[in-house]
């Protein structure tokens, strides 16, 4: 989405700085994240429309990210922000080695090749890692506590996500210890999600663990509706999923991560170099339980689990 109004040349006369924002999804479903990004930039003295102009690009699928990243590079922004999407960060990095990139995403950015090290990234990329790929075992444990008789677990991943393989490996490593069978189902578009649920029903999955992926965040209403329709207890990565009707979520605060991206973006605009800005790690994690959905599924949630929840949606 390109902002309308003054041209880039006219803004330059007013000494505005330029920042780009690239993410899968839609602006409507991610308005709270845009607001968090603006809040973070504001903490460093940058207010959109006053002294910084942001070009927004929203990808309908992962295939569009490469094209949109190239488009933003042509605009020669001072910095490209890719909050909440490791895939978008990878696309931006492939498009430029000079324009600074600030990302947030799951997993280890060193292992995915985004940066050389956590303390000194060393290139044009820095940001915030939620390390959400490491939370698969934790989510399985919470789901097991909620539905202890679930013998067969399904794991939903986006095969295009560079963190998907590590997420599955983490859960498979824990499976023998908890005596559970693991079935992997995949979806790389919103249309694939319907097929994925048909597949997990064919495999007779008793419960579902969702990986962290921008597609699944944008499709959270669809996912919650399908889980309810098929009566599948599921645990999701983010608070937004439970707010959309998902049974339970455990993971980092998305709004806090994106606010940190905004802060780092502002610091880059102020002249700091990504190579010298250490990768931040998520420090705030939330367990959210949707009691209304639990009742719809006929599940009783133990007082112990409810007491551990950061929020219970009734």
């Amino acid at each position: 989405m390109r902002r309308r109004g003054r041209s880039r040349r006219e803004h330059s006369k007013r000494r505005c700085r330029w920042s780009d924002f690239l993410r899968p999804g839609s602006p409507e479903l991610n308005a709270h994240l845009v607001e968090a990004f603006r809040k973070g930039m504001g903490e460093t003295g940058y207010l959109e429309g006053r002294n910084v102009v942001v070009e927004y690009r929203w990808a309908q699928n992962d295939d569009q990210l490469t094209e949109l990243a190239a488009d933003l590079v042509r605009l020669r922004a001072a910095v490209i922000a890719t909050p909440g999407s490791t895939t978008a960060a990878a696309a931006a990095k492939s498009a430029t080695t000079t324009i600074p990139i600030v990302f947030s995403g799951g997993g280890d950015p060193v292992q995915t090749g985004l940066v050389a090290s956590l303390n000194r990234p060393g290139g044009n990329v820095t940001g915030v890692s939620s390390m959400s790929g490491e939370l698969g075992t934790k989510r399985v444990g919470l789901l097991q506590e909620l539905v202890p008789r679930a013998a067969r677990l399904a794991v939903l991943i986006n095969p295009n996500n560079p963190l998907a393989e590590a997420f599955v490996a983490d859960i498979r490593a824990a499976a023998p210890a908890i005596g559970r069978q693991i079935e992997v189902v995949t979806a790389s578009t919103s249309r694939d999600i319907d097929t994925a649920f048909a597949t997990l029903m064919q495999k007779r999955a008793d419960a579902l663990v969702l990986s962290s992926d921008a597609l699944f965040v944008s499709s959270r209403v669809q996912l919650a509706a399908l889980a309810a329709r098929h009566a599948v207890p599921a645990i999701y990565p983010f608070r937004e999923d439970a707010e959309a009707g998902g049974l339970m979520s455990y993971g980092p605060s998305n709004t806090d991560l994106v606010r940190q991206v905004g802060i780092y973006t502002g610091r880059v605009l102020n002249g700091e170099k990504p190579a010298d800005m250490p990768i931040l790690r998520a420090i705030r994690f939330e367990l959210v339980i949707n009691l209304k959905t639990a009742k719809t599924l006929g599940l009783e949630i133990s007082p112990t689990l409810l007491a551990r929840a950061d929020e219970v949606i009734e």
Side-chain angles (χ1 to χ4, degrees), residues 147-164:
V147 282
R149 296 184 180 180
R152 189 185 299 269
L153 301 180
V155 181
L156 179 62
I157 62 169
N158 180 347
N160 295 329
N161 190 317
L163 305 173

Side-chain angles (χ1 to χ4, degrees), residues 270-286:
N270 280 330
E272 292 190 51
K273 304 297 183 184
D276 303 323
M277 300 169 68
I279 302 297
L280 302 176
R281 295 188 62 160
I283 57 174
R284 182 182 172 193
F285 295 84
E286 305 170 312

Side-chain angles (χ1 to χ4, degrees), residues 100 126 263-278:
T126 190
I263 292 173
Y264 256 28
T265 297
R267 288 174 58 178
V268 171
L269 291 174
N270 280 330
E272 292 190 51
K273 304 297 183 184
D276 303 323
M277 300 169 68

Side-chain angles (χ1 to χ4, degrees), residues 138-150:
K138 175 70 173 181
R139 293 189 188 116
V140 168
L142 289 167
L143 196 56
Q144 181 188 20
E145 189 173 345
L146 181 58
V147 282
R149 296 184 180 180

Side-chain angles (χ1 to χ4, degrees), residues 84-97:
S85 174
T86 303
T87 310
K93 183 179 179 181
S94 295
T96 179
T97 58

Side-chain angles (χ1 to χ4, degrees), residues 103-111 117-119 126-135 252-253 256-261 264 277-285:
F103 77 95
S104 68
D108 186 336
V110 176
Q111 291 182 354
S117 75
L118 296 179
N119 290 330
T126 190
V128 192
S129 175
S130 67
M131 296 296 184
S132 58
E134 301 174 1
L135 300 177
S253 166
D256 189 56
L257 291 174
V258 177
R259 182 182 68 84
Q260 292 289 347
V261 170
Y264 256 28
M277 300 169 68
I279 302 297
L280 302 176
R281 295 188 62 160
I283 57 174
R284 182 182 172 193
F285 295 84

Side-chain angles (χ1 to χ4, degrees), residues 22 65 69-70 73 80 82 86-101 109-110 112-116 121-126:
L22 175 63
L65 287 171
V73 169
I80 299 175
T82 63
T86 303
T87 310
K93 183 179 179 181
S94 295
T96 179
T97 58
T98 56
I99 297 176
I101 298 166
V110 176
T112 57
L114 283 178
V115 298
N124 65 318
V125 181
T126 190

Side-chain angles (χ1 to χ4, degrees), residues 2-3 5-20 53-55 57 71-78:
R2 183 157 186 166
R3 293 177 58 84
R6 293 181 177 88
S7 69
R8 182 162 286 204
R9 180 177 299 176
E10 290 173 314
H11 274 298
S12 296
K13 293 178 180 179
R14 300 172 62 220
R15 297 184 180 179
C16 280
R17 302 302 305 276
W18 287 87
S19 172
D20 293 336
V53 176
V54 183
E55 292 276 355
R57 294 293 185 275
D71 179 44
L72 291 176
V73 169
R74 285 192 292 270
L75 294 177
R76 298 182 181 179

